[in-house]
Amino acid sequence: MDFAFPPSARASLPIAGTDARFPVRRIYCVGKNYADHVAEMGGDVERSEPIFFTKAAETLVQDGTDIPFPPNTENLHYEVELVVAMGPPEINGGIFAYGVGIDMTRRDIQAKAKAKGGPWDRAKSFHLSAPCSALTIANTVDLSAAHITLRKNGDTVQHSALNKLIWSVDEIIAYLSQDMDLQPGDLIYTGTPAGVGPVIVDDELSGEIEGLERVTVRFV
Ligand code: MN
C-alpha cells in the first residue's frame, strides 16, 4: 500500500502481564444501562432501553495521562464503565479482555444536542474523551460479583455492582453483532451507574473494578 502521506498510528491499549498490545478498531458505547443512572438523568426507568453510540478509537487515553481540559464546555462529566475488549471468536467466545473506562462527556453540549434531536459526537467523541485502563485477559478473572467504583480526588463518587447492568455483556454483544459490525479489536463501554458529575482543572479521577487494572487520569 502506497499512502500519499504516513497514516496515523493505530490506537492500542496495554495488556496486563504481556508486552503485546491490544489493537483498537472501534469504540461502541452503551447508554442508559443502569437503572439508577437512567433515573438521575430524568429518564423513565420502567420504559428505558439501552442506547448505543460510538467514540473514535483515537479518543482513547491511557492510564496515568494528564489530560488538557477540553474546550467549549463548562460541564465536563465522568462516567465510569466496564470495558469489554473483543477478540477473535475462537478465543473465549470472542471476549478477549476487560478494562475500566471513563466515558468523558461534555454534558452541556449533550444537553443541547438532546434538545435539538442532534447527534452526540461533539458531546462524546471529542479529543481525549475515552480514558481506559490496561486490559486484563478475560479468562483470568471472574467479574460476576465485582463492584465498579470511581473516585474523584480520593472521594468515592460512583459505586455499583456489575450485576446491575440492565443489558448484560452477553446481551450487548449479541445486539451489536446483529445490528452493527462487531469485530476483533472493538471496545465496548458498557454504561455507567449513578453518580455522574463534573470535573475541573486539577481534579484526578480513578476508576476501579475488582480484579482489573485501574485507570487514573488528571485534568490539567
Ligand atoms: Mn457512558
Side-chain angles (χ1 to χ4, degrees):
M1 182 75 71
D2 192 17
F3 293 107
F5 52 87
S8 55
R10 171 171 280 253
S12 66
L13 286 171
I15 302 169
T18 169
D19 290 335
R21 293 180 68 89
F22 181 89
V24 177
R25 178 179 176 264
R26 293 182 180 175
I27 304 176
Y28 293 105
C29 301
V30 187
K32 302 184 179 181
N33 206 20
Y34 288 84
D36 56 359
H37 175 60
V38 173
E40 76 175 346
M41 297 301 289
D44 182 339
V45 174
E46 293 297 317
R47 298 175 55 190
S48 178
E49 278 203 6
I51 57 166
F52 291 89
F53 58 92
T54 61
K55 287 178 186 266
E58 293 78 9
T59 64
L60 273 174
V61 181
Q62 276 189 217
D63 173 56
T65 300
D66 285 349
I67 300 177
F69 197 87
N72 301 323
T73 184
E74 293 177 0
N75 200 15
L76 178 67
H77 273 206
Y78 49 77
E79 299 186 354
V80 69
E81 314 199 357
L82 169 69
V83 175
V84 179
M86 301 302 295
E90 62 271 19
I91 300 175
N92 195 42
I95 301 179
F96 185 82
Y98 296 112
V100 185
I102 309 175
D103 168 18
M104 297 307 302
T105 302
R106 294 195 287 196
R107 195 71 76 197
D108 38 6
I109 292 177
Q110 186 192 34
K112 287 178 188 167
K114 282 182 174 179
K116 291 181 178 175
W120 286 14
D121 301 62
R122 291 185 57 243
K124 289 290 195 179
S125 188
F126 55 93
H127 188 44
L128 306 177
S129 62
C132 189
S133 69
L135 300 177
T136 298
I137 299 292
N139 61 17
T140 67
V141 65
D142 177 7
L143 297 180
S144 56
H147 291 81
I148 180 169
T149 303
L150 187 76
R151 293 186 180 85
K152 182 170 90 168
N153 305 325
D155 298 329
T156 297
V157 289
Q158 290 190 274
H159 182 73
S160 189
L162 294 183
N163 62 16
K164 291 187 176 175
L165 283 167
I166 296 171
W167 280 23
S168 69
V169 168
D170 286 347
E171 288 172 321
I172 294 165
I173 290 171
Y175 182 84
L176 283 174
S177 297
Q178 60 89 25
D179 187 63
M180 301 291 277
D181 178 33
L182 195 64
Q183 294 288 338
D186 289 346
L187 299 178
I188 307 170
Y189 280 57
T190 56
T192 197
V196 302
V199 291
I200 57 174
V201 169
D202 287 338
D203 279 346
E204 181 185 85
L205 297 177
S206 189
E208 183 179 344
I209 293 173
E210 292 145 358
L212 303 184
E213 301 292 312
R214 287 187 197 184
V215 58
T216 300
V217 294
R218 196 163 63 92
F219 291 85
V220 297

